[in-house]
Amino acid sequence: MRALLWKIGIIGFGNVGQGLAHILNRKKEILKRRYDFEFIVSFIADPVRGSLYNEEGLDLDAILKEMAQKGSLKNRPEFTDKGTLELIELAKADIVAEATITNLETGEPGLSHIRKALSIGSHVVTSNKGPIALAVDELEQIAKNNNVYLRYEAVVLSGTPCINMVMECMSGCDVKSVAGIVNGTTNFILSKMEEGYDYPEALVEAQKLGYAEADPTSDVEGWDSAVKAAIMANLFFGAKIKITDVSRQGITKITREDVLKAKNEGKRIKLIAEVKRQGNDVIASVSPHLIPMTHPLGNVMGPTNALTIATDHLGEVTIIGPGAGRIETGQALLSDMLAIHRFKNA
């Protein structure tokens, strides 16, 4: 039976949550006309910026303007001091978008949010890598037990299609390997080094432009790429790989001279996340590679991501696109919502 109106909840109202809200607010009529997708956002849960609840639907336009002006929602009339788990239970949204910050050690608080939402019968879309890397099998089982969907397109290449492309559009193919640039920060730094920057100078530029955090360890030491490699190994190859199983080397020891020498040889240094079959084993690694400029990955510059998937039926398929950004990641969440809409109304 077709859902006449989807009730949506957004957990985490930082860049990604606001990016999704901007898209939903701007494209509400288009989504209705093009996809027959009608919705209200009934709650926003963010203990820092302020949580809101209105069973009849929140005014996204007013909320986004208030966030832009004040950086807080705590003076909104719909403000509630209820905790996130309590709001999930109270609102019983049809779809919950979980967009809190990734925790690679415990997956929390996102893991508890997703467990709770699925267990009460809400579909979940998420951009949070931690819960998917640490507990995807458990979460998929909870979803199955409650006849709901869990989707997570955003966790590898942000808004650039990757997971759904391999799992759905390439159904029937055997994936032999995947290899790519899955961290835009390190690719930006290496691109600046090719322009003549030293590593410290390139890192400062990345931080200035918002591509790198104040503590860039997760990016430059390869942890962010490693968690994405683990996710791809488990989803595409059926492996049971943990983040700590991924062989990992970052870019901190690469010098400007290394980068320029590679360029003179017609190659570029790229931080590559790779997953491949080796006999009966699945091997996942992250390390700097010398990539010929004639290869599609060799010409991916700046904060851009790219992934080459080698298959039996299609040979090599390379996808290139943005790997970060509030609107880009919000688009991945929206695409997962629309997929759920299609599946439930088929």
Side-chain angles (χ1 to χ4, degrees), residues 100-117:
T100 59
I101 294 174
T102 292
N103 180 325
L104 298 182
E105 294 182 4
T106 66
E108 298 295 355
L111 182 53
S112 291
H113 297 160
I114 295 171
R115 279 192 187 121
K116 179 68 172 178

Side-chain angles (χ1 to χ4, degrees), residues 186 189-190 193 198-200 203 219-222 248-259 269 271 287-288:
T186 52
I189 291 171
L190 292 169
M193 291 171 72
D198 286 324
Y199 171 78
L203 174 58
D219 293 321
V220 300
E221 294 290 356
R248 177 185 52 81
Q249 179 185 342
I251 65 166
T252 54
K253 295 181 180 179
I254 294 175
T255 66
R256 176 179 59 184
E257 289 70 28
D258 295 330
V259 172
I269 298 176
L271 186 67
S287 64

Side-chain angles (χ1 to χ4, degrees), residues 160-237:
T160 300
C162 161
I163 293 174
N164 297 333
M165 185 180 77
V166 174
M167 302 293 285
E168 296 172 8
C169 299
M170 292 184 173
S171 295
C173 288
D174 288 337
V175 178
K176 299 178 179 180
S177 67
V178 292
I181 301 160
V182 298
N183 181 271
T185 300
T186 52
N187 204 54
F188 175 84
I189 291 171
L190 292 169
S191 297
K192 298 305 288 186
M193 291 171 72
E194 188 173 309
E195 295 176 14
Y197 286 60
D198 286 324
Y199 171 78
E201 296 172 328
L203 174 58
V204 168
E205 184 70 8
Q207 290 170 323
K208 185 190 305 182
L209 295 173
Y211 297 136
E213 301 289 343
D215 179 0
T217 302
S218 176
D219 293 321
V220 300
E221 294 290 356
W223 285 108
D224 178 70
S225 296
V227 69
K228 293 171 180 177
I231 289 171
M232 291 189 292
N234 297 336
L235 294 179
F236 301 164
F237 295 84

Side-chain angles (χ1 to χ4, degrees), residues 16 20 97-99 125-127 154 329-338:
V16 176
L20 174 62
E98 213 290 336
V125 300
T126 187
S127 58
T329 310
Q331 164 58 32
L333 294 172
L334 174 63
S335 72
D336 279 341
M337 289 182 179
L338 293 173

Side-chain angles (χ1 to χ4, degrees), residues 1-23:
M1 181 177 178
R2 191 177 80 83
L4 294 177
L5 186 70
W6 290 94
K7 290 171 60 177
I8 296 171
I10 300 174
I11 302 176
F13 209 58
N15 278 335
V16 176
Q18 289 179 53
L20 174 62
H22 273 287
I23 294 172

Side-chain angles (χ1 to χ4, degrees), residues 181 187 190-191 194-195 254 258-272 288-302:
I181 301 160
N187 204 54
L190 292 169
S191 297
E194 188 173 309
E195 295 176 14
I254 294 175
D258 295 330
V259 172
L260 296 178
K261 180 175 182 292
K263 183 181 179 182
N264 289 336
E265 295 172 355
K267 300 175 182 178
R268 288 194 168 105
I269 298 176
K270 299 293 183 183
L271 186 67
I272 299 295
H289 282 49
L290 280 169
I291 305 293
M293 291 184 186
T294 53
H295 190 279
L297 297 180
N299 285 302
V300 177
M301 305 299 285

